Amino acid sequence: MALTGMQIFKFLPKTNCKDCGVPTCLAFAMNLAANKAWLHQCPHLPPEVRAQLGAAAAPPIKKVEVGSGANSYSLGEETVLFRHEKTFNHQPLLAAKLCDNDKNLQQKFEKWQGLQWLRIGLTLRAEAVFLDNCSQSAEVFLKAAQQISPHFALILCASPQVLEQTLPKLAQFRPMLYAAEAHNYPKMAELALNYKCPLIIKANTLNDLTTLSHQLGLLGVQDLVLDCQAASMADVLANNTAIRRAALLAKNKDLGLPIINFACALSQDLPGQTMAASLMIAKYASIIVLSDFRDEYLFPLTLLRLNIFTDPQRPMTMQQGIYPIASPGPDAPVIITTNFSLTYFMVNGEIENARKPAWLLIMDTEGLSVLTAWAAGKFVGDTIAEFVQQSGIAEKIYHRRLIIPGYVANIKNELEESLPGWQILPGPREVSGLPGLLKSLP
């Protein structure tokens, strides 16, 4: 049974050190009880207390990790039914299905590696490959898996016999195993435990899925992912919603696990699969399997995923600091703006369009845009002056000219008083006018 905030508070150090990110231990305890914080955020809990509170404070959907190194990903840990209630935590992995004896394996693999896009400072790409042992050969399967594993997380679809032969050389990559069913789950459980790999459970109904999950739990397998077979998108939606509600509302631990969906099983063509995948992203899938990756379908899916899994209560931000653009020298102009990521990329893009080197100062305003930050008192004369003085920009230039956003031109005099010796130049109100201003400067 879940503990209340006051019950959790009794176990905390009560030092109000703020290391967890909130002002008091009581506030942290309340956040734990409401699934808005996790135990690992408190660095001062003794191991015995952490263990005692662990089960009570654990998220209703278990965290499962797949892959290794740069290709390591977390699934699960979700705490809400709807994004606006808090946020969705871990983006679903996009995987492509591939036969181990595919004649175009090398060509497909190289193409998939190149499908990457930079968006507001983040790299959008697919993360996983669902490798099917179509050849029924352990040797062919192993060769294909070793080729893919350094670049993608792996989901291995093979018989227990083939997995037993290949996992000794693949376990270091922490692949996910597909799949434990009613007829083979003891052997699949043994492989998952021996090689410390997450395991997918496959069943035709939610009742069968619950039974298998419970049985595997009794065998000691904890890192599980659910696959409830679906013949239509309506079935996928119904199953995924029922699983999420059972985990969050009914506290059903057997169903409190990440979900895998197969868009490739619902449509023969990629446009149809993309439509299915878009619903799966929004409705609780942790892994989505397509038949292929193509840029015109993969890019919108990664963009949709980014938007849905961005915390609606926290704007996307850039790190505070100095950003040199086009190798600026000591005579290059200095421009300042807030750390709202969209603002940064718009300003950055216009500076690049001007084809003139510049120093771009990004000031931490907690992700607020220029006008909002000014209205909140976070982007005003004294705070900007303090940041400029501490940033180190004065050591990189010989002039003392600072371009500020045109929307806050009214702080010019205040800023010049706070920055003696500096000339403050209000920029254009619209960022599209920035190239003209830069080209007019000496």
Side-chain angles (χ1 to χ4, degrees):
M1 183 176 178
L3 299 179
T4 67
M6 291 306 298
Q7 288 172 325
I8 294 173
F9 178 64
K10 295 176 182 178
F11 293 93
L12 300 183
K14 303 179 184 66
T15 57
N16 298 333
C17 65
K18 303 181 180 62
D19 290 346
C20 61
V22 295
T24 65
C25 290
L26 180 59
F28 180 63
M30 295 302 177
N31 286 345
L32 279 173
N35 291 320
K36 295 180 180 179
W38 314 119
L39 281 177
H40 67 79
Q41 292 174 282
C42 177
H44 308 298
L45 281 179
E48 61 274 12
V49 173
R50 196 178 300 275
Q52 191 171 357
L53 290 177
I61 298 177
K62 180 176 171 51
K63 178 181 177 181
V64 175
E65 295 184 350
V66 59
S68 63
N71 302 309
S72 178
Y73 303 98
S74 297
L75 313 174
E77 283 194 308
E78 304 299 343
T79 61
V80 293
L81 280 170
F82 305 107
R83 173 180 177 268
H84 65 265
E85 294 177 320
K86 183 191 171 191
T87 184
F88 291 166
N89 290 315
H90 297 301
Q91 295 187 12
L93 305 189
L94 296 173
K97 191 173 183 180
L98 184 64
C99 281
D100 61 351
N101 60 357
D102 191 315
K103 294 180 180 179
N104 299 316
L105 187 146
Q106 179 67 27
Q107 181 181 354
K108 284 185 177 180
F109 178 58
E110 291 177 355
K111 181 190 74 172
W112 294 350
Q113 284 183 277
L115 296 179
Q116 299 187 24
W117 302 272
L118 188 64
R119 179 81 174 184
I120 55 171
L122 302 173
T123 300
L124 307 185
R125 63 184 290 265
E127 298 85 7
V129 171
F130 184 95
L131 185 63
D132 196 348
N133 185 213
C134 302
S135 68
Q136 298 185 353
S137 163
E139 183 179 353
V140 173
F141 189 63
L142 176 61
K143 182 178 179 181
Q146 288 177 324
Q147 183 178 354
I148 297 166
S149 54
H151 307 283
F152 290 91
L154 270 175
I155 305 168
L156 301 178
C157 175
S159 67
Q161 293 74 27
V162 169
L163 290 174
E164 192 167 30
Q165 296 179 61
T166 55
L167 278 175
K169 295 185 178 180
L170 297 175
Q172 61 180 313
F173 300 108
R174 194 173 168 76
M176 188 169 284
L177 311 183
Y178 188 87
E181 301 179 68
H183 68 278
N184 70 358
Y185 77 87
K187 183 61 179 178
M188 293 297 288
E190 179 185 335
L191 292 171
L193 290 171
N194 288 345
Y195 295 101
K196 297 180 175 59
C197 294
L199 177 63
I200 298 171
I201 312 169
K202 177 182 175 182
N204 292 322
T205 68
L206 288 179
N207 286 337
D208 292 342
L209 204 62
T210 303
T211 300
L212 268 177
S213 175
H214 186 73
Q215 292 297 328
L216 286 162
L218 293 177
L219 293 175
V221 185
Q222 300 298 320
D223 292 338
L224 298 169
V225 173
L226 305 175
D227 174 21
C228 191
Q229 298 290 283
S232 67
M233 260 324 300
D235 289 341
V236 171
L237 179 59
N239 291 339
N240 287 9
T241 302
I243 290 171
R244 178 65 70 92
R245 288 178 64 87
L248 269 57
L249 304 181
K251 309 299 181 185
N252 186 328
K253 292 187 176 182
D254 293 326
L255 293 179
L257 298 164
I259 301 169
I260 184 171
N261 288 154
F262 290 83
C264 57
L266 301 180
S267 176
Q268 296 298 314
D269 58 74
L270 277 175
Q273 293 177 33
T274 303
M275 291 179 62
S278 65
L279 180 57
M280 294 166 178
I281 289 172
K283 284 298 181 181
Y284 314 142
S286 289
I287 305 173
I288 300 165
V289 183
L290 305 161
S291 63
D292 195 2
F293 291 140
R294 281 169 50 184
D295 52 3
E296 65 267 37
Y297 302 114
L298 181 60
F299 176 69
L301 285 178
T302 59
L303 197 58
L304 172 66
R305 181 179 64 176
L306 175 65
N307 290 336
I308 290 176
F309 282 79
T310 296
D311 188 342
Q313 299 175 16
R314 291 186 61 188
M316 300 187 71
T317 62
M318 299 296 297
Q319 184 175 353
Q320 177 172 281
I322 303 173
Y323 289 75
I325 300 175
S327 303
D331 59 339
V334 180
I335 305 163
I336 189 168
T337 191
T338 68
N339 72 330
F340 179 42
S341 60
L342 183 58
T343 299
Y344 164 79
F345 282 102
M346 291 175 65
V347 173
N348 189 326
E350 293 299 336
I351 296 174
E352 291 180 345
N353 289 341
R355 300 180 183 277
K356 186 166 183 177
W359 300 99
L360 179 56
L361 299 185
I362 296 299
M363 178 177 164
D364 184 4
T365 57
E366 300 179 9
L368 300 178
S369 62
V370 171
L371 274 178
T372 308
W374 170 76
K378 299 180 184 298
F379 196 66
V380 292
D382 56 346
T383 60
I384 293 175
E386 182 180 0
F387 165 62
V388 171
Q389 290 167 343
Q390 295 178 358
S391 69
I393 187 63
E395 301 171 3
K396 299 179 180 295
I397 57 175
Y398 60 69
H399 64 84
R400 292 296 181 267
R401 292 189 305 272
L402 178 66
I403 300 173
I404 61 174
Y407 276 110
V408 292
N410 61 317
I411 69 171
K412 176 180 183 297
N413 293 336
E414 177 190 355
L415 189 52
E416 286 181 334
E417 290 179 6
S418 301
L419 279 176
W422 282 76
Q423 178 187 6
I424 306 303
L425 303 176
R429 291 174 67 87
E430 300 296 336
V431 72
S432 58
L434 191 56
L437 172 64
L438 292 177
K439 290 177 182 178
S440 70
L441 295 176

